[in-house]
Amino acid sequence: MKDSLSTLNWLVEAGADEAIAEAPINRLATRTAIPSPLAVEGSSSRVNAKNWEGGSARTPPPSRVAARPPRDALGRASVLRTPQGEGESVDAIGGAMAAAAAATDLAELQAALEAFDGCALKRTATNTVFADGVAEGGVMLIGEAPGRDEDRVGKPFVGRAGQLLDKMLAAIALDRKTNAYITNVINWRPPDNRDPAPEEAAQCLPFLRRHIELANPGVIILLGAVAARHVVGISDGIMKLRGRWLEYRVGDRMVPLMPTLHPAYLLRQPAHKKLAWRDLQAVKEKMRMLGLPRGRDAR
């Protein structure tokens, strides 16, 4: 205890008398804050997304002000590593927010995304994968990131997992040609199909949020744990989240949101298709209750 007090006294005398953050800070980085529009509600209680701004109401003396680093998709402080080097700051997230906010329709948003160079994944990808389907259909599906086939074609869910997804949608009278709209959290394929890093997701999330606003869906379906973690900010496993109705705020209304299992996971674990089937039946019933348009084969 005595040694601890001595250490604290030494730090105070040296001028280190205020905690700035829980993680190391790149003091050359520009201040970037990511406001979160999410309000997630479960069946019995409301969960508010973390405030991405963070910080304290108290302003330290000018000599001790440190620029806060960008924050990842879960609101944690992180340093964005860019091709320009550790010592140079590129406000990729701020640029993404400005570009996304300026888009007034889906065509403008796609053009802004294709022009955006703030995410390193774009430099290793073949195509920018924006979306596929009919936005006016009322049902929006959000996956994780493009795979090899998606990167080659430039559309989401066109490989084996996409073929299974089409069959799943057909079971509840949904079709990307008539009344379903599909996109991903990440718009460029991560090398070797690895999970996207938090800073990569944070650079793409402003576009996804604007994408949801412009598509204005009646129901959102999240495909897999990665999509659920980045869209609603809940890190519970997909097995805990699936089958549970949440809500996503779009403007002044709350959109029903259903997390379910990713088709690629179901290809590896076909015994769990029955769980996804239950989730889809819940979506079908929600569509009926909301009066959303359904396909010709709807029962």
Side-chain angles (χ1 to χ4, degrees), residues 114 120-129 146-155 187-191:
E114 291 174 346
L121 291 177
K122 185 176 182 180
R123 287 181 280 277
T124 59
T126 302
N127 282 301
T128 297
V129 180
R148 180 185 59 188
D149 293 326
E150 291 75 16
D151 181 50
R152 175 177 55 83
V153 176
K155 293 183 178 181
N187 302 101
W188 300 281
R189 181 196 181 196

Side-chain angles (χ1 to χ4, degrees), residues 101-251:
T104 60
D105 57 34
L106 292 173
E108 289 184 5
L109 183 66
Q110 181 174 0
L113 184 65
E114 291 174 346
F116 179 68
D117 291 322
C119 183
L121 291 177
K122 185 176 182 180
R123 287 181 280 277
T124 59
T126 302
N127 282 301
T128 297
V129 180
F130 183 67
D132 190 25
V134 179
E136 294 77 15
V139 178
M140 185 174 189
L141 297 98
I142 303 174
E144 173 186 339
R148 180 185 59 188
D149 293 326
E150 291 75 16
D151 181 50
R152 175 177 55 83
V153 176
K155 293 183 178 181
F157 286 92
V158 295
R160 289 184 61 220
Q163 294 169 14
L164 176 57
L165 178 61
D166 287 341
K167 294 178 180 179
M168 294 166 61
L169 295 178
I172 57 171
L174 286 176
D175 188 301
R176 66 175 82 194
K177 294 180 180 180
T178 58
N179 59 354
Y181 189 64
I182 307 172
T183 188
N184 284 308
V185 173
I186 306 296
N187 302 101
W188 300 281
R189 181 196 181 196
D192 301 318
N193 289 349
R194 61 167 172 76
D195 285 348
E199 59 266 29
E200 293 164 349
Q203 293 156 3
C204 294
L205 279 174
F207 292 103
L208 177 63
R209 292 182 187 139
R210 186 61 175 152
H211 203 156
I212 296 172
E213 291 175 357
L214 293 173
N216 196 29
V219 172
I220 298 173
I221 301 175
L222 299 182
L223 301 170
V226 173
R229 181 167 68 248
H230 291 303
V231 174
V232 299
I234 300 177
S235 58
D236 292 348
I238 191 62
M239 285 300 182
K240 291 184 179 180
L241 284 177
R242 58 141 296 273
R244 167 186 161 199
W245 281 109
L246 306 174
E247 290 186 333
Y248 184 98
R249 184 181 297 278
V250 177

Side-chain angles (χ1 to χ4, degrees), residues 4-40:
S4 298
L5 290 174
S6 298
T7 301
L8 288 173
N9 288 331
W10 179 83
L11 288 171
V12 171
E13 292 174 359
D17 60 350
E18 182 169 354
I20 301 297
E22 295 178 357
I25 294 176
N26 178 357
R27 298 181 185 277
L28 297 177
T30 57
R31 174 178 173 177
T32 303
I34 311 174
S36 175
L38 301 180
V40 184

Side-chain angles (χ1 to χ4, degrees), residues 256-284:
L257 180 150
M258 172 63 75
T260 191
L261 303 175
H262 196 287
Y265 171 82
L266 295 176
L267 289 174
R268 301 190 301 270
Q269 300 289 340
H272 287 164
K273 287 182 180 180
K274 60 184 179 183
L275 301 178
W277 173 253
R278 295 172 192 168
D279 301 342
L280 292 176
Q281 290 302 303
V283 171
K284 181 179 180 180

